[in-house]
Amino acid sequence: MDERMIMEKIREHLHLSEDVDVSDAPRKVEKGRSFYEDFSLRGIRVNRVDPGFISCSFKVPLRLTDRDGYLANGAIANLVDEVGGAVVHVEGLPMNVSVDMSIAFLSKAKLGEELEITSRVMGERGSYKGTIVVVRNKMTGEIIAEGRHSLFGRQPSKL
């Protein structure tokens, strides 16, 4: 499989639907997707995919805010997990397993704010991979959170 197809598969994994639905109305989950993925990632937009790098945009929806109207820390942790895992995913193999995540929550994101989420591969040793995910306010550039994500997964066969 060529590199372009692999990058397109990463886009498909992160990009759940074409519609930008910021309402919390129940909807049918797409085939092959879990309710959890659909609920937490609905509305994410993949802007750029390069080997070892992903850049996404995400508008803070009501369904992922806390009682004060800010993006919930659990939603930020999920974004670190999903986008950090996607950057190291190898097509044809199961998703890698998260071994460790360390997240620094540096600021808050309000309902409706546009976020930029970038993920880079920091390193790889055998089946163990490390990524860094930065969540920032797209308008101000302020860093909302920075997460380091370690994953373990199968290696592609060299045969």
Side-chain angles (χ1 to χ4, degrees):
M1 182 173 288
D2 72 5
E3 198 170 283
R4 182 175 228 107
M5 286 181 64
I6 292 169
M7 295 304 151
E8 193 55 42
K9 289 292 186 178
I10 292 171
R11 276 186 206 273
E12 287 175 20
H13 174 73
L14 288 174
H15 187 88
L16 294 178
S17 64
E18 286 298 319
D19 64 326
V20 180
D21 182 8
V22 293
S23 73
D24 286 332
R27 52 182 239 151
K28 185 177 177 186
V29 177
E30 296 175 23
K31 184 177 170 107
R33 307 286 184 204
S34 71
F35 169 80
Y36 180 75
E37 286 174 322
D38 188 63
F39 183 81
S40 62
L41 295 177
R42 185 179 342 138
I44 197 166
R45 297 288 180 243
V46 179
N47 300 325
R48 188 171 135 208
V49 179
D50 293 322
F53 177 82
I54 294 177
S55 175
C56 303
S57 297
F58 187 68
K59 190 172 181 180
V60 177
L62 180 61
R63 69 181 181 281
L64 299 180
T65 58
D66 60 19
R67 65 177 154 237
D68 297 321
Y70 295 106
L71 182 62
N73 288 347
I76 294 171
N78 184 67
L79 289 169
V80 169
D81 186 28
E82 292 289 337
V83 179
V87 76
V88 296
H89 180 66
V90 176
E91 181 61 31
L93 293 179
M95 288 298 287
N96 292 293
V97 176
S98 297
V99 176
D100 182 53
M101 280 196 306
S102 173
I103 303 170
F105 298 97
L106 303 170
S107 186
K108 300 275 189 181
K110 295 177 188 166
L111 173 65
E113 288 185 334
E114 185 83 17
L115 305 178
E116 176 184 37
I117 305 153
T118 58
S119 180
R120 296 180 194 280
V121 175
M122 291 177 50
E124 189 173 332
R125 176 163 282 185
S127 297
Y128 187 79
K129 299 164 181 71
T131 66
I132 185 164
V133 180
V134 177
V135 180
R136 73 177 69 232
N137 183 308
K138 201 169 190 176
M139 191 73 118
T140 66
E142 181 180 26
I143 296 176
I144 306 300
E146 180 179 278
R148 294 180 184 261
H149 189 197
S150 302
L151 302 107
F152 183 83
R154 284 200 220 150
Q155 292 291 332
S157 173
K158 294 184 180 183
L159 297 178

